[in-house]
Structures are given as structure tokens and as C-alpha cells.
PDB file of all heavy atoms in Angstrom:
ATOM      1  N   VAL N   1      -0.240  13.419  -9.925  1.00  0.00           N
ATOM      2  CA  VAL N   1      -1.173  13.230  -8.803  1.00  0.00           C
ATOM      3  C   VAL N   1      -1.385  11.759  -8.595  1.00  0.00           C
ATOM      4  O   VAL N   1      -1.156  11.153  -7.437  1.00  0.00           O
ATOM      5  CB  VAL N   1      -2.545  13.851  -9.067  1.00  0.00           C
ATOM      6  CG1 VAL N   1      -3.583  13.524  -8.057  1.00  0.00           C
ATOM      7  CG2 VAL N   1      -2.387  15.295  -9.309  1.00  0.00           C
ATOM      8  N   ILE N   2      -1.721  10.974  -9.700  1.00  0.00           N
ATOM      9  CA  ILE N   2      -2.042   9.553  -9.446  1.00  0.00           C
ATOM     10  C   ILE N   2      -0.811   8.759  -8.985  1.00  0.00           C
ATOM     11  O   ILE N   2      -0.887   7.947  -8.111  1.00  0.00           O
ATOM     12  CB  ILE N   2      -2.624   8.987 -10.848  1.00  0.00           C
ATOM     13  CG1 ILE N   2      -3.912   9.632 -11.171  1.00  0.00           C
ATOM     14  CG2 ILE N   2      -2.816   7.413 -10.711  1.00  0.00           C
ATOM     15  CD1 ILE N   2      -4.564   9.306 -12.477  1.00  0.00           C
ATOM     16  N   GLN N   3       0.277   8.865  -9.764  1.00  0.00           N
ATOM     17  CA  GLN N   3       1.534   8.106  -9.369  1.00  0.00           C
ATOM     18  C   GLN N   3       2.031   8.326  -7.949  1.00  0.00           C
ATOM     19  O   GLN N   3       2.234   7.382  -7.178  1.00  0.00           O
ATOM     20  CB  GLN N   3       2.539   8.211 -10.414  1.00  0.00           C
ATOM     21  CG  GLN N   3       2.270   7.612 -11.764  1.00  0.00           C
ATOM     22  CD  GLN N   3       3.413   7.720 -12.811  1.00  0.00           C
ATOM     23  OE1 GLN N   3       4.511   8.166 -12.501  1.00  0.00           O
ATOM     24  NE2 GLN N   3       3.206   7.358 -14.085  1.00  0.00           N
ATOM     25  N   PRO N   4       2.211   9.573  -7.589  1.00  0.00           N
ATOM     26  CA  PRO N   4       2.698   9.844  -6.258  1.00  0.00           C
ATOM     27  C   PRO N   4       1.634   9.503  -5.187  1.00  0.00           C
ATOM     28  O   PRO N   4       1.984   9.117  -4.034  1.00  0.00           O
ATOM     29  CB  PRO N   4       3.071  11.296  -6.204  1.00  0.00           C
ATOM     30  CG  PRO N   4       2.335  11.979  -7.380  1.00  0.00           C
ATOM     31  CD  PRO N   4       2.251  10.797  -8.498  1.00  0.00           C
ATOM     32  N   GLY N   5       0.358   9.694  -5.519  1.00  0.00           N
ATOM     33  CA  GLY N   5      -0.682   9.333  -4.604  1.00  0.00           C
ATOM     34  C   GLY N   5      -0.758   7.795  -4.325  1.00  0.00           C
ATOM     35  O   GLY N   5      -0.851   7.333  -3.221  1.00  0.00           O
ATOM     36  N   ASN N   6      -0.622   7.132  -5.477  1.00  0.00           N
ATOM     37  CA  ASN N   6      -0.665   5.634  -5.265  1.00  0.00           C
ATOM     38  C   ASN N   6       0.578   5.151  -4.548  1.00  0.00           C
ATOM     39  O   ASN N   6       0.618   4.218  -3.594  1.00  0.00           O
ATOM     40  CB  ASN N   6      -0.636   4.864  -6.601  1.00  0.00           C
ATOM     41  CG  ASN N   6      -1.963   5.054  -7.411  1.00  0.00           C
ATOM     42  OD1 ASN N   6      -2.887   5.760  -6.828  1.00  0.00           O
ATOM     43  ND2 ASN N   6      -2.169   4.360  -8.437  1.00  0.00           N
ATOM     44  N   ALA N   7       1.746   5.737  -4.765  1.00  0.00           N
ATOM     45  CA  ALA N   7       2.973   5.435  -4.107  1.00  0.00           C
ATOM     46  C   ALA N   7       2.872   5.727  -2.525  1.00  0.00           C
ATOM     47  O   ALA N   7       3.357   4.940  -1.745  1.00  0.00           O
ATOM     48  CB  ALA N   7       4.175   6.236  -4.673  1.00  0.00           C
ATOM     49  N   LEU N   8       2.224   6.824  -2.198  1.00  0.00           N
ATOM     50  CA  LEU N   8       2.128   7.157  -0.820  1.00  0.00           C
ATOM     51  C   LEU N   8       1.195   6.114  -0.109  1.00  0.00           C
ATOM     52  O   LEU N   8       1.453   5.681   1.067  1.00  0.00           O
ATOM     53  CB  LEU N   8       1.608   8.601  -0.699  1.00  0.00           C
ATOM     54  CG  LEU N   8       1.439   9.063   0.799  1.00  0.00           C
ATOM     55  CD1 LEU N   8       2.741   8.890   1.611  1.00  0.00           C
ATOM     56  CD2 LEU N   8       0.933  10.528   0.814  1.00  0.00           C
ATOM     57  N   ILE N   9       0.104   5.833  -0.669  1.00  0.00           N
ATOM     58  CA  ILE N   9      -0.818   4.867  -0.089  1.00  0.00           C
ATOM     59  C   ILE N   9      -0.082   3.443  -0.023  1.00  0.00           C
ATOM     60  O   ILE N   9      -0.205   2.780   1.042  1.00  0.00           O
ATOM     61  CB  ILE N   9      -2.126   4.679  -1.000  1.00  0.00           C
ATOM     62  CG1 ILE N   9      -2.938   6.077  -0.805  1.00  0.00           C
ATOM     63  CG2 ILE N   9      -3.012   3.538  -0.413  1.00  0.00           C
ATOM     64  CD1 ILE N   9      -4.049   6.118  -1.727  1.00  0.00           C
ATOM     65  N   GLY N  10       0.705   3.184  -1.017  1.00  0.00           N
ATOM     66  CA  GLY N  10       1.404   1.880  -0.986  1.00  0.00           C
ATOM     67  C   GLY N  10       2.324   1.860   0.169  1.00  0.00           C
ATOM     68  O   GLY N  10       2.589   0.797   0.723  1.00  0.00           O
ATOM     69  N   ARG N  11       3.009   2.997   0.416  1.00  0.00           N
ATOM     70  CA  ARG N  11       3.969   3.123   1.578  1.00  0.00           C
ATOM     71  C   ARG N  11       3.153   2.846   2.987  1.00  0.00           C
ATOM     72  O   ARG N  11       3.737   2.184   3.804  1.00  0.00           O
ATOM     73  CB  ARG N  11       4.608   4.462   1.610  1.00  0.00           C
ATOM     74  CG  ARG N  11       5.500   4.666   0.478  1.00  0.00           C
ATOM     75  CD  ARG N  11       6.238   5.962   0.681  1.00  0.00           C
ATOM     76  NE  ARG N  11       7.272   5.974   1.704  1.00  0.00           N
ATOM     77  CZ  ARG N  11       7.824   7.050   2.227  1.00  0.00           C
ATOM     78  NH1 ARG N  11       7.522   8.251   1.848  1.00  0.00           N
ATOM     79  NH2 ARG N  11       8.838   6.846   3.192  1.00  0.00           N
ATOM     80  N   VAL N  12       2.009   3.436   3.048  1.00  0.00           N
ATOM     81  CA  VAL N  12       1.215   3.176   4.244  1.00  0.00           C
ATOM     82  C   VAL N  12       0.916   1.714   4.417  1.00  0.00           C
ATOM     83  O   VAL N  12       1.062   1.133   5.573  1.00  0.00           O
ATOM     84  CB  VAL N  12      -0.068   3.967   4.155  1.00  0.00           C
ATOM     85  CG1 VAL N  12      -0.964   3.686   5.407  1.00  0.00           C
ATOM     86  CG2 VAL N  12       0.254   5.447   4.159  1.00  0.00           C
ATOM     87  N   LEU N  13       0.397   1.029   3.333  1.00  0.00           N
ATOM     88  CA  LEU N  13       0.095  -0.340   3.473  1.00  0.00           C
ATOM     89  C   LEU N  13       1.283  -1.222   3.713  1.00  0.00           C
ATOM     90  O   LEU N  13       1.311  -2.115   4.437  1.00  0.00           O
ATOM     91  CB  LEU N  13      -0.613  -0.860   2.131  1.00  0.00           C
ATOM     92  CG  LEU N  13      -1.977  -0.076   1.873  1.00  0.00           C
ATOM     93  CD1 LEU N  13      -2.446  -0.601   0.511  1.00  0.00           C
ATOM     94  CD2 LEU N  13      -2.941  -0.346   2.955  1.00  0.00           C
ATOM     95  N   GLN N  14       2.455  -0.902   2.994  1.00  0.00           N
ATOM     96  CA  GLN N  14       3.612  -1.675   3.176  1.00  0.00           C
ATOM     97  C   GLN N  14       4.212  -1.575   4.478  1.00  0.00           C
ATOM     98  O   GLN N  14       4.775  -2.465   5.093  1.00  0.00           O
ATOM     99  CB  GLN N  14       4.707  -1.297   2.134  1.00  0.00           C
ATOM    100  CG  GLN N  14       5.907  -2.212   2.005  1.00  0.00           C
ATOM    101  CD  GLN N  14       5.516  -3.633   1.636  1.00  0.00           C
ATOM    102  OE1 GLN N  14       4.845  -3.781   0.646  1.00  0.00           O
ATOM    103  NE2 GLN N  14       5.984  -4.581   2.420  1.00  0.00           N
ATOM    104  N   ARG N  15       3.999  -0.405   5.155  1.00  0.00           N
ATOM    105  CA  ARG N  15       4.435  -0.153   6.546  1.00  0.00           C
ATOM    106  C   ARG N  15       3.797  -1.197   7.456  1.00  0.00           C
ATOM    107  O   ARG N  15       4.287  -1.791   8.334  1.00  0.00           O
ATOM    108  CB  ARG N  15       4.194   1.243   6.922  1.00  0.00           C
ATOM    109  CG  ARG N  15       4.543   1.605   8.431  1.00  0.00           C
ATOM    110  CD  ARG N  15       4.027   3.021   8.664  1.00  0.00           C
ATOM    111  NE  ARG N  15       4.450   3.594   9.961  1.00  0.00           N
ATOM    112  CZ  ARG N  15       3.806   3.519  11.092  1.00  0.00           C
ATOM    113  NH1 ARG N  15       2.662   2.960  11.157  1.00  0.00           N
ATOM    114  NH2 ARG N  15       4.308   4.160  12.225  1.00  0.00           N
ATOM    115  N   GLY N  16       2.459  -1.360   7.269  1.00  0.00           N
ATOM    116  CA  GLY N  16       1.696  -2.282   7.967  1.00  0.00           C
ATOM    117  C   GLY N  16       2.189  -3.727   7.852  1.00  0.00           C
ATOM    118  O   GLY N  16       2.194  -4.463   8.781  1.00  0.00           O
ATOM    119  N   VAL N  17       2.466  -4.050   6.640  1.00  0.00           N
ATOM    120  CA  VAL N  17       2.876  -5.395   6.357  1.00  0.00           C
ATOM    121  C   VAL N  17       4.269  -5.653   7.035  1.00  0.00           C
ATOM    122  O   VAL N  17       4.513  -6.636   7.629  1.00  0.00           O
ATOM    123  CB  VAL N  17       3.038  -5.617   4.782  1.00  0.00           C
ATOM    124  CG1 VAL N  17       3.686  -7.039   4.511  1.00  0.00           C
ATOM    125  CG2 VAL N  17       1.671  -5.570   4.163  1.00  0.00           C
ATOM    126  N   ASP N  18       5.188  -4.640   6.898  1.00  0.00           N
ATOM    127  CA  ASP N  18       6.519  -4.830   7.345  1.00  0.00           C
ATOM    128  C   ASP N  18       6.551  -4.868   8.899  1.00  0.00           C
ATOM    129  O   ASP N  18       7.370  -5.524   9.488  1.00  0.00           O
ATOM    130  CB  ASP N  18       7.439  -3.704   6.905  1.00  0.00           C
ATOM    131  CG  ASP N  18       7.715  -3.629   5.443  1.00  0.00           C
ATOM    132  OD1 ASP N  18       7.435  -4.636   4.814  1.00  0.00           O
ATOM    133  OD2 ASP N  18       8.095  -2.555   4.915  1.00  0.00           O
ATOM    134  N   ARG N  19       5.645  -4.212   9.505  1.00  0.00           N
ATOM    135  CA  ARG N  19       5.502  -4.233  10.967  1.00  0.00           C
ATOM    136  C   ARG N  19       4.692  -5.360  11.546  1.00  0.00           C
ATOM    137  O   ARG N  19       4.387  -5.450  12.729  1.00  0.00           O
ATOM    138  CB  ARG N  19       4.923  -3.023  11.567  1.00  0.00           C
ATOM    139  CG  ARG N  19       5.841  -1.727  11.290  1.00  0.00           C
ATOM    140  CD  ARG N  19       5.102  -0.319  11.366  1.00  0.00           C
ATOM    141  NE  ARG N  19       4.422  -0.154  12.627  1.00  0.00           N
ATOM    142  CZ  ARG N  19       4.852   0.647  13.615  1.00  0.00           C
ATOM    143  NH1 ARG N  19       5.859   1.413  13.384  1.00  0.00           N
ATOM    144  NH2 ARG N  19       4.108   0.780  14.703  1.00  0.00           N
ATOM    145  N   GLY N  20       4.129  -6.240  10.616  1.00  0.00           N
ATOM    146  CA  GLY N  20       3.402  -7.370  11.078  1.00  0.00           C
ATOM    147  C   GLY N  20       2.016  -7.001  11.507  1.00  0.00           C
ATOM    148  O   GLY N  20       1.328  -7.754  12.261  1.00  0.00           O
ATOM    149  N   GLU N  21       1.504  -5.866  11.068  1.00  0.00           N
ATOM    150  CA  GLU N  21       0.104  -5.287  11.430  1.00  0.00           C
ATOM    151  C   GLU N  21      -0.829  -5.706  10.301  1.00  0.00           C
ATOM    152  O   GLU N  21      -2.068  -5.885  10.583  1.00  0.00           O
ATOM    153  CB  GLU N  21       0.205  -3.882  11.698  1.00  0.00           C
ATOM    154  CG  GLU N  21       1.085  -3.474  12.808  1.00  0.00           C
ATOM    155  CD  GLU N  21       1.337  -2.027  12.865  1.00  0.00           C
ATOM    156  OE1 GLU N  21       1.455  -1.351  11.844  1.00  0.00           O
ATOM    157  OE2 GLU N  21       1.368  -1.389  13.947  1.00  0.00           O
ATOM    158  N   PHE N  22      -0.470  -5.744   9.058  1.00  0.00           N
ATOM    159  CA  PHE N  22      -1.328  -6.041   7.894  1.00  0.00           C
ATOM    160  C   PHE N  22      -0.912  -7.307   7.277  1.00  0.00           C
ATOM    161  O   PHE N  22       0.390  -7.599   7.276  1.00  0.00           O
ATOM    162  CB  PHE N  22      -1.348  -4.933   6.914  1.00  0.00           C
ATOM    163  CG  PHE N  22      -1.835  -3.637   7.313  1.00  0.00           C
ATOM    164  CD1 PHE N  22      -1.589  -2.448   6.612  1.00  0.00           C
ATOM    165  CD2 PHE N  22      -2.641  -3.436   8.530  1.00  0.00           C
ATOM    166  CE1 PHE N  22      -2.019  -1.209   7.136  1.00  0.00           C
ATOM    167  CE2 PHE N  22      -3.198  -2.272   8.982  1.00  0.00           C
ATOM    168  CZ  PHE N  22      -2.853  -1.177   8.185  1.00  0.00           C
ATOM    169  N   ARG N  23      -1.788  -8.004   6.773  1.00  0.00           N
ATOM    170  CA  ARG N  23      -1.381  -9.203   5.904  1.00  0.00           C
ATOM    171  C   ARG N  23      -0.830  -8.705   4.597  1.00  0.00           C
ATOM    172  O   ARG N  23      -1.203  -7.711   4.061  1.00  0.00           O
ATOM    173  CB  ARG N  23      -2.617 -10.153   5.691  1.00  0.00           C
ATOM    174  CG  ARG N  23      -3.812  -9.586   4.993  1.00  0.00           C
ATOM    175  CD  ARG N  23      -4.908 -10.676   4.983  1.00  0.00           C
ATOM    176  NE  ARG N  23      -6.192 -10.069   4.317  1.00  0.00           N
ATOM    177  CZ  ARG N  23      -6.184 -10.303   2.997  1.00  0.00           C
ATOM    178  NH1 ARG N  23      -5.349 -10.901   2.233  1.00  0.00           N
ATOM    179  NH2 ARG N  23      -7.409  -9.789   2.456  1.00  0.00           N
ATOM    180  N   ALA N  24      -0.067  -9.529   3.966  1.00  0.00           N
ATOM    181  CA  ALA N  24       0.588  -9.190   2.678  1.00  0.00           C
ATOM    182  C   ALA N  24      -0.507  -9.273   1.610  1.00  0.00           C
ATOM    183  O   ALA N  24      -1.228 -10.193   1.546  1.00  0.00           O
ATOM    184  CB  ALA N  24       1.714 -10.146   2.341  1.00  0.00           C
ATOM    185  N   ILE N  25      -0.500  -8.294   0.702  1.00  0.00           N
ATOM    186  CA  ILE N  25      -1.463  -8.188  -0.467  1.00  0.00           C
ATOM    187  C   ILE N  25      -0.677  -7.768  -1.606  1.00  0.00           C
ATOM    188  O   ILE N  25       0.481  -7.278  -1.579  1.00  0.00           O
ATOM    189  CB  ILE N  25      -2.578  -7.233  -0.120  1.00  0.00           C
ATOM    190  CG1 ILE N  25      -2.122  -5.759   0.155  1.00  0.00           C
ATOM    191  CG2 ILE N  25      -3.555  -7.802   1.048  1.00  0.00           C
ATOM    192  CD1 ILE N  25      -3.156  -4.790   0.154  1.00  0.00           C
ATOM    193  N   ASP N  26      -1.265  -7.841  -2.797  1.00  0.00           N
ATOM    194  CA  ASP N  26      -0.846  -7.304  -3.987  1.00  0.00           C
ATOM    195  C   ASP N  26      -0.868  -5.736  -4.023  1.00  0.00           C
ATOM    196  O   ASP N  26      -1.974  -5.285  -4.178  1.00  0.00           O
ATOM    197  CB  ASP N  26      -1.577  -7.836  -5.229  1.00  0.00           C
ATOM    198  CG  ASP N  26      -1.037  -7.465  -6.582  1.00  0.00           C
ATOM    199  OD1 ASP N  26      -0.298  -6.389  -6.573  1.00  0.00           O
ATOM    200  OD2 ASP N  26      -1.283  -8.070  -7.606  1.00  0.00           O
ATOM    201  N   MET N  27       0.172  -5.084  -3.773  1.00  0.00           N
ATOM    202  CA  MET N  27       0.168  -3.619  -3.603  1.00  0.00           C
ATOM    203  C   MET N  27      -0.232  -2.851  -4.803  1.00  0.00           C
ATOM    204  O   MET N  27      -0.809  -1.777  -4.777  1.00  0.00           O
ATOM    205  CB  MET N  27       1.518  -3.167  -3.174  1.00  0.00           C
ATOM    206  CG  MET N  27       1.996  -3.534  -1.738  1.00  0.00           C
ATOM    207  SD  MET N  27       0.732  -2.911  -0.499  1.00  0.00           S
ATOM    208  CE  MET N  27       1.406  -3.717   0.933  1.00  0.00           C
ATOM    209  N   LYS N  28      -0.039  -3.451  -6.000  1.00  0.00           N
ATOM    210  CA  LYS N  28      -0.433  -2.813  -7.286  1.00  0.00           C
ATOM    211  C   LYS N  28      -1.943  -2.445  -7.231  1.00  0.00           C
ATOM    212  O   LYS N  28      -2.383  -1.339  -7.649  1.00  0.00           O
ATOM    213  CB  LYS N  28      -0.070  -3.600  -8.456  1.00  0.00           C
ATOM    214  CG  LYS N  28      -0.615  -3.025  -9.827  1.00  0.00           C
ATOM    215  CD  LYS N  28      -0.247  -3.827 -10.909  1.00  0.00           C
ATOM    216  CE  LYS N  28      -0.658  -3.345 -12.308  1.00  0.00           C
ATOM    217  NZ  LYS N  28      -0.259  -4.166 -13.400  1.00  0.00           N
ATOM    218  N   TYR N  29      -2.712  -3.479  -6.734  1.00  0.00           N
ATOM    219  CA  TYR N  29      -4.165  -3.297  -6.658  1.00  0.00           C
ATOM    220  C   TYR N  29      -4.625  -3.004  -5.264  1.00  0.00           C
ATOM    221  O   TYR N  29      -5.791  -2.499  -5.101  1.00  0.00           O
ATOM    222  CB  TYR N  29      -4.838  -4.628  -7.165  1.00  0.00           C
ATOM    223  CG  TYR N  29      -4.494  -4.876  -8.564  1.00  0.00           C
ATOM    224  CD1 TYR N  29      -3.638  -5.954  -8.903  1.00  0.00           C
ATOM    225  CD2 TYR N  29      -5.004  -4.101  -9.679  1.00  0.00           C
ATOM    226  CE1 TYR N  29      -3.333  -6.174 -10.310  1.00  0.00           C
ATOM    227  CE2 TYR N  29      -4.663  -4.322 -10.938  1.00  0.00           C
ATOM    228  CZ  TYR N  29      -3.862  -5.396 -11.321  1.00  0.00           C
ATOM    229  OH  TYR N  29      -3.511  -5.615 -12.652  1.00  0.00           O
ATOM    230  N   GLY N  30      -3.857  -3.289  -4.287  1.00  0.00           N
ATOM    231  CA  GLY N  30      -4.295  -2.945  -2.967  1.00  0.00           C
ATOM    232  C   GLY N  30      -4.462  -1.522  -2.695  1.00  0.00           C
ATOM    233  O   GLY N  30      -5.308  -1.139  -1.859  1.00  0.00           O
ATOM    234  N   VAL N  31      -3.630  -0.620  -3.370  1.00  0.00           N
ATOM    235  CA  VAL N  31      -3.883   0.805  -3.147  1.00  0.00           C
ATOM    236  C   VAL N  31      -5.340   1.273  -3.512  1.00  0.00           C
ATOM    237  O   VAL N  31      -5.800   2.225  -2.971  1.00  0.00           O
ATOM    238  CB  VAL N  31      -2.839   1.609  -3.977  1.00  0.00           C
ATOM    239  CG1 VAL N  31      -1.485   1.384  -3.443  1.00  0.00           C
ATOM    240  CG2 VAL N  31      -2.983   1.414  -5.446  1.00  0.00           C
ATOM    241  N   TYR N  32      -5.934   0.500  -4.490  1.00  0.00           N
ATOM    242  CA  TYR N  32      -7.268   0.966  -4.959  1.00  0.00           C
ATOM    243  C   TYR N  32      -8.320   0.605  -3.832  1.00  0.00           C
ATOM    244  O   TYR N  32      -9.464   1.094  -3.914  1.00  0.00           O
ATOM    245  CB  TYR N  32      -7.641   0.296  -6.269  1.00  0.00           C
ATOM    246  CG  TYR N  32      -6.770   0.885  -7.368  1.00  0.00           C
ATOM    247  CD1 TYR N  32      -5.686   0.104  -7.864  1.00  0.00           C
ATOM    248  CD2 TYR N  32      -6.909   2.162  -7.831  1.00  0.00           C
ATOM    249  CE1 TYR N  32      -4.757   0.591  -8.862  1.00  0.00           C
ATOM    250  CE2 TYR N  32      -6.090   2.640  -8.882  1.00  0.00           C
ATOM    251  CZ  TYR N  32      -5.041   1.934  -9.234  1.00  0.00           C
ATOM    252  OH  TYR N  32      -4.249   2.403 -10.275  1.00  0.00           O
ATOM    253  N   ILE N  33      -7.974  -0.333  -2.937  1.00  0.00           N
ATOM    254  CA  ILE N  33      -8.893  -0.602  -1.826  1.00  0.00           C
ATOM    255  C   ILE N  33      -9.085   0.732  -0.996  1.00  0.00           C
ATOM    256  O   ILE N  33     -10.191   1.067  -0.513  1.00  0.00           O
ATOM    257  CB  ILE N  33      -8.280  -1.757  -0.884  1.00  0.00           C
ATOM    258  CG1 ILE N  33      -8.218  -2.974  -1.693  1.00  0.00           C
ATOM    259  CG2 ILE N  33      -9.163  -1.816   0.307  1.00  0.00           C
ATOM    260  CD1 ILE N  33      -7.553  -4.067  -0.875  1.00  0.00           C
TER     261      ILE N  33
END
């Protein structure tokens, strides 16, 4: 649960970074936001 859940949220955030929609953050802790 935790690992795949964190990975999925990380993918959402990274998508935003890659598309220039979100600023770059530390994804390890960013998922907890």
C-alpha cells in the first residue's frame, strides 16, 4: 500500500514538474504534502 501509493503520487507530481506546471521539489518528502 504505502510504497505503490507514494510512487503513484510521485508520478502525479513529477508529471507536473516535467510539463512545467509545478516547481521542482524533493519528491521523497513532496508526496507527504
Side-chain angles (χ1 to χ4, degrees):
V1 177
I2 296 176
Q3 289 182 10
N6 287 8
L8 181 55
I9 293 173
R11 293 183 74 192
V12 174
L13 297 178
Q14 190 63 53
R15 179 185 190 266
V17 173
D18 293 343
R19 290 162 58 108
E21 299 169 319
F22 297 162
R23 63 187 179 87
I25 59 173
D26 183 340
M27 290 300 174
K28 178 179 179 180
Y29 298 107
V31 297
Y32 293 102
I33 297 172

